[in-house]
Amino acid sequence: MKLDKFDREILRVMQKDATVSMADLSQKVGLSHTPCWRRVKRLEADKIILQKVTLLDSKKLNLGVSVFIYVTLKNHDGESLNDFEKAVQSIDAIVECHTTSGDKDYLLKVIVESIEEYEHLLKTKLTNLPLVDHLSSTFALKQVKNTTELPIKNL
């Protein structure tokens, strides 16, 4: 799907505030209400807008420990990869999972309350994920930047 300047501006505004009213969105992007609404609906139908969420402050929720984990699997056939990816979906503390290039197969991001909670998660769930050969954990010391906004370029 080709995005024009209005579509791109709608996406930029909505990334900053998904609760923006259609009236305000229309005004900010320079369209009248109905054409703006139609564009938003099209962006949703085309799965460019996947969902609207509320961002939370993890520290205020006592979830201040972020851990990045490189995972290497024993096998790399399609069934093994699917089994691992399915199992990852069931662990709430894993907030991101990426396949990677190079000698590691996956990169996980885990958010927990404490190092002790991470240790428990590691011993009871992570090491028991299907076909895990090796896990390498790195603890984040400080979050310097955290955004969900994609860098949408102008035309």
Side-chain angles (χ1 to χ4, degrees):
M1 176 183 168
K2 188 143 174 102
L3 300 178
D4 66 14
K5 69 177 187 169
F6 292 109
D7 295 325
R8 291 171 182 278
E9 190 59 25
I10 287 169
L11 294 172
R12 276 193 285 274
V13 171
M14 290 184 72
Q15 280 190 117
K16 290 186 185 310
D17 181 7
T19 66
V20 66
S21 70
M22 194 55 62
D24 287 344
L25 179 62
S26 302
Q27 185 178 18
K28 289 180 180 189
V29 302
L31 289 170
S32 61
H33 186 278
T34 302
C36 187
W37 178 84
R38 283 190 188 124
R39 285 172 180 266
V40 170
K41 291 300 172 194
R42 190 188 77 236
L43 292 166
E44 291 171 347
D46 290 343
K47 304 267 190 250
I48 293 171
I49 297 174
L50 298 175
Q51 63 182 325
K52 298 172 188 170
V53 300
T54 300
L55 299 179
L56 306 175
D57 186 327
S58 60
K59 289 183 182 175
K60 289 182 180 175
L61 294 168
N62 199 27
L63 294 167
V65 177
S66 297
V67 188
F68 296 92
I69 308 156
Y70 276 109
V71 180
T72 306
L73 299 182
K74 295 175 187 172
N75 298 330
H76 297 93
D77 59 272
E79 186 177 340
S80 298
L81 299 175
N82 287 337
D83 289 347
F84 176 82
E85 291 173 11
K86 185 177 178 186
V88 162
Q89 300 295 329
S90 68
I91 301 173
D92 291 339
I94 299 173
V95 297
E96 291 182 33
C97 175
H98 305 266
T99 57
T100 60
S101 62
D103 59 343
K104 309 295 187 220
D105 298 313
Y106 291 91
L107 174 64
L108 307 178
K109 180 180 180 184
V110 169
I111 298 180
V112 291
E113 289 183 9
S114 65
I115 292 173
E116 292 79 15
E117 183 182 350
Y118 175 70
E119 180 183 19
H120 178 73
L121 180 71
L122 179 67
K123 289 178 179 177
T124 61
K125 293 187 179 179
L126 298 178
T127 56
N128 294 320
L129 286 168
L131 301 161
V132 168
D133 184 40
H134 182 75
L135 298 169
S136 176
S137 304
T138 300
F139 290 83
L141 300 177
K142 178 172 106 175
Q143 187 177 75
V144 176
K145 182 177 181 180
N146 182 26
T147 184
T148 60
E149 293 181 39
L150 298 176
I152 300 170
K153 294 184 177 7
N154 291 326
L155 291 176

